[in-house]
Amino acid sequence: MRAAFLVPLLLLQAACWSPRYFTPREHVNGSGPKGHPAAGYAVPAAEPGLAAVGEVRLWSEGARARYDDNEDEVVQVHIGFELENTGDQPLQLELASLQCEEMVVDGLLQAPFAAVRIDGDGYAPPGATARLDAFFQPTADAPRHIEGFSIRFAVLAGERRALAQVTPFGPRQQAVSPSPYYWGAFGPYYGLGWSYGYGYGFGHTRWP
């Protein structure tokens, strides 16, 4: 009988702390390395009519709950970038201008904020592609409370600011296949699209 009461609590905890995924709401014409939908933008040349000098792609691997270095529970949103250089000048993601804007958490608009961690330098010499991962930490109690956001970024071509962009992101609709009966450690129950059993273990993701 006691186990029957534990099942809703486990499912509630899993729903609160499970990741929430986001996709760009414009220019979705590619994907990230793991298949996440990506928005792509050409980096224009200095003179009109000339071929673009590169392309930048950005995507999100979602919002996840984790513990920070102080063992506090936090929510972080991942944004990935690829900067492909097809010109003859180095390209650089302007890290100082990278920020999250227009984030809505539980219906409340948040003030713009910078990334708490950036992996990679965003520098792409001619003929190369740079990869960068940025992590933003909103004041959200759980990933599911985040309703949407925008990412502001810019690209330098040499000393020239070649591209300035704001990309909106919205929740990605996950395809869910109904799962009839799932046999957990203590017996079957009906699952609503997910296969959680009594043996399901929940916790917080520790990102590298």
Side-chain angles (χ1 to χ4, degrees):
M1 190 71 177
R2 181 180 178 184
F5 287 103
L6 288 177
V7 172
L9 293 177
L10 288 173
L11 292 176
L12 179 61
Q13 181 74 12
C16 288
W17 289 104
S18 60
R20 188 170 201 188
Y21 297 98
F22 298 91
T23 187
R25 294 196 288 110
E26 65 178 25
H27 298 282
V28 179
N29 52 21
S31 65
K34 297 180 183 178
H36 299 281
Y41 303 91
V43 181
E47 300 296 330
L50 296 180
V53 298
E55 182 181 23
V56 60
R57 296 176 288 274
L58 69 156
W59 64 93
S60 175
E61 293 183 6
R64 296 175 184 269
R66 63 180 296 272
Y67 288 111
D68 64 11
D69 294 337
N70 298 320
E71 297 300 321
D72 293 324
E73 297 175 353
V74 297
V75 173
Q76 288 190 352
V77 177
H78 167 270
I79 298 293
F81 288 89
E82 279 183 343
L83 180 58
E84 181 181 359
N85 190 341
T86 57
D88 55 9
Q89 283 187 313
L91 298 181
Q92 171 72 58
L93 277 167
E94 191 179 53
L95 303 185
S97 66
L98 178 60
Q99 65 178 14
C100 183
E101 300 181 347
E102 301 174 333
M103 176 169 281
V104 177
V105 178
D106 280 339
L108 298 176
L109 180 64
Q110 310 296 303
F113 56 100
V116 295
R117 183 178 123 205
I118 294 178
D119 296 340
D121 58 8
Y123 178 78
T129 298
R131 169 74 187 272
L132 182 145
D133 294 287
F135 299 89
F136 297 87
Q137 191 167 299
T139 54
D141 293 330
R144 64 185 177 86
H145 294 168
I146 301 173
E147 300 173 20
F149 56 89
S150 296
I151 298 298
R152 180 181 295 275
F153 67 95
V155 176
L156 303 176
E159 299 297 322
R160 177 176 63 93
R161 203 178 204 215
L163 177 68
Q165 182 65 45
V166 178
T167 301
F169 282 78
R172 190 196 314 174
Q173 301 300 317
Q174 297 288 100
V176 176
S177 299
S179 165
Y181 263 132
Y182 173 76
W183 289 84
F186 299 98
Y189 68 91
Y190 188 79
L192 298 177
W194 297 276
S195 293
Y196 294 116
Y198 294 144
Y200 175 78
F202 56 86
H204 304 283
T205 301
R206 290 182 178 270
W207 286 2

